[in-house]
Amino acid sequence: MRPRAGHCALLLAALALGLHAVEARVQPLRPAAIEMDPPLPPRIIPSTLGHSEVERELRTLERLATSEKPVYAAGAASQARGGSAKSLAKPKAGKAQPAASAPAAAGGPGTAAWLLGLIHLHGAGVARDPVRAQQWFEAAWARGEPLAAAGMAWCLIDGCAGPPSPAAAQPWIDRLARANRGRALYLAWLSLTRQSPLVLAEIQNPRTGSEDPPLPHPELLLEAARLGDVHALIELGLDAASRRHWQQARSYFVAAAPKSKAAAANLEIIDMAQPRSAKSSEAAAAPGAAALAEARRAHRGEGMPADYAMAIRLYRQAQAEGNPEAQKMLALIFSRPTPTGEVDLAWMRQLAYVDVNSLAPSLSNLAGVRVMRREPTPLYDFLPPKWQQRTLPVAP
């Protein structure tokens, strides 16, 4: 039986529809259009979601920081010519200097972005995120916040979003000098010291009269301290303490203490340590007692970072002056050298609180000693006190 023409037409139509359906199934899917937020400013994702107050304040700051368009190009300062760091130390007559510390407060979009950068840099109520902090500093600068130059300079010095590049921070430091000359001087000093090679202390003969290496670029720190910069005052105080110039160190910490908890803590350490050195008049009258006291201070890190090279040098000085305790301590230190014949630092650390006066050397009952410290970053004092209380404690 031959198929009718109508049946053939239906079969051809069905075949065409089937082929079209197969073709439609094998065609690649086109990706849907994705709308992305601009790279600056980034979204805030607080790590403390349970803290509704912190989250609410962060959201408010984010909305304020993104409420206006940028007024400056974010990378404009990076293309500017940077002057010499040392040229900043020359004060400009006739111009009033801004306050050394200017905590961010409620203001425009630039101020809000600056505060968000400080919050993320220090982990105040959120997880610490230096990369996001630098993004907010860029947003703050683009929205006209002059202090954001300090954030950009620090991020280049310390390496917030990449390897540290202290030399590249100079253009931002020059910009900062217009708003806060004292902080610009301190950051210039910090940048130069980060670029300098590390000077290692050596164990030298005390009779040679050698002294510790001088503080590099002191003119920058001194001028910054004259302008009231907190971090410069702390740095000068730490340097004076490391040289055992206690009264000078105390004066620097007194000047910085009203604006810095670290300086106040350092001042307390000095005030507590001074009377302890003169507790026993009998011990103070012993030969080499002064050198022995300073050797123990350097050995234990009392009021300054532990310096074993200085401790050995002072123990030898006390021994040369006839002090028996120093002689016993030196014998213990060199009784267990490394395989290469050098001082074993781990062994020396264990000897820091050993009482050598007993028949068998034993640990003394001294309490743990506090160590002087700096602020977490050179921008910490810009963070309002309310947000400082939300940061996690940082080890000295």
Side-chain angles (χ1 to χ4, degrees):
M1 185 176 176
R2 303 176 95 183
R4 296 180 181 179
H7 289 174
C8 292
L10 289 173
L11 288 172
L12 290 174
L15 181 61
L17 288 173
L19 291 174
H20 181 73
V22 172
E23 183 181 356
R25 284 197 296 268
V26 299
Q27 282 183 351
L29 294 175
R30 295 181 180 178
I34 300 175
E35 295 183 2
M36 298 185 66
D37 293 334
L40 289 176
R43 296 288 296 171
I44 295 298
I45 306 177
S47 62
T48 53
L49 293 176
H51 299 171
S52 58
E53 181 183 355
V54 174
E55 183 181 3
R56 186 166 53 251
E57 292 183 37
L58 288 170
R59 296 296 180 186
T60 301
L61 286 171
E62 180 189 7
R63 286 194 296 271
L64 179 58
T66 57
S67 61
E68 289 184 10
K69 294 182 179 180
V71 294
Y72 298 129
S78 63
Q79 301 172 1
R81 272 186 158 183
S84 168
K86 292 187 178 181
S87 66
L88 290 173
K90 301 176 182 178
K92 296 181 180 179
K95 289 189 178 181
Q97 300 298 332
S101 301
T111 303
W114 164 239
L115 178 53
L116 285 167
L118 294 172
I119 289 170
H120 283 285
L121 180 67
H122 299 97
V126 296
R128 187 175 179 275
D129 191 342
V131 175
R132 181 166 290 174
Q134 181 169 336
Q135 292 175 333
W136 279 117
F137 291 148
E138 290 173 356
W141 176 261
R143 284 159 175 76
E145 173 53 58
L147 288 177
M152 294 302 300
W154 170 245
C155 278
L156 287 168
I157 292 171
D158 197 56
C160 290
S165 182
Q170 191 57 48
W172 289 106
I173 293 173
D174 293 339
R175 292 279 179 125
L176 176 63
R178 303 172 188 174
N180 192 321
R181 184 176 175 78
R183 188 58 46 85
L185 286 163
Y186 176 75
L187 288 174
W189 174 84
L190 194 60
S191 174
L192 288 173
T193 55
R194 293 285 181 94
Q195 298 175 59
S196 303
L198 181 64
V199 179
L200 298 176
E202 296 180 358
I203 301 175
Q204 302 178 10
N205 190 324
R207 297 183 181 180
T208 62
S210 60
E211 297 182 355
D212 296 330
L215 191 69
H217 313 292
E219 69 282 357
L220 294 173
L221 278 183
L222 290 170
E223 179 61 17
R226 188 187 69 81
L227 295 174
D229 186 77
V230 170
H231 303 280
L233 290 166
I234 293 175
E235 203 65 45
L236 289 168
L238 291 173
D239 179 67
S242 70
R243 300 171 190 282
R244 302 171 298 284
H245 300 163
W246 305 115
Q247 291 305 317
Q248 185 182 27
R250 191 179 189 282
S251 65
Y252 284 127
F253 293 141
V254 165
K259 301 175 183 177
S260 167
K261 292 182 179 179
N266 295 344
L267 179 61
E268 184 179 349
I269 290 173
I270 287 182
D271 289 343
M272 291 176 63
Q274 287 304 311
R276 188 164 54 226
S277 62
K279 256 186 178 179
S280 172
S281 57
E282 181 179 350
L292 177 64
E294 295 301 332
R296 284 174 173 166
R297 188 186 297 273
H299 194 174
R300 297 168 179 173
E302 293 182 353
M304 61 180 180
D307 188 336
Y308 296 151
M310 181 187 297
I312 291 177
R313 190 163 64 242
L314 290 168
Y315 279 134
R316 284 175 172 169
Q317 179 180 335
Q319 180 189 26
E321 295 175 6
N323 190 282
E325 292 184 50
Q327 182 177 359
K328 293 178 182 178
M329 179 57 76
L330 286 170
L332 284 172
I333 290 172
F334 292 107
S335 67
R336 191 184 295 181
T338 63
T340 58
E342 299 174 346
V343 174
D344 188 334
L345 299 183
W347 171 238
M348 190 163 179
R349 188 181 302 115
Q350 296 177 41
L351 294 175
Y353 293 97
V354 166
D355 181 8
V356 297
N357 285 323
S358 58
L359 294 177
S362 59
L363 288 174
S364 64
N365 58 357
L366 291 176
V369 178
R370 297 162 59 190
V371 179
M372 292 187 185
R373 59 187 178 91
R374 301 172 177 85
E375 293 291 5
T377 76
L379 310 181
Y380 188 71
D381 55 320
F382 288 128
L383 193 64
K386 164 174 86 171
W387 288 98
Q388 289 184 11
Q389 295 174 2
R390 293 167 176 168
T391 60
L392 295 176
V394 178

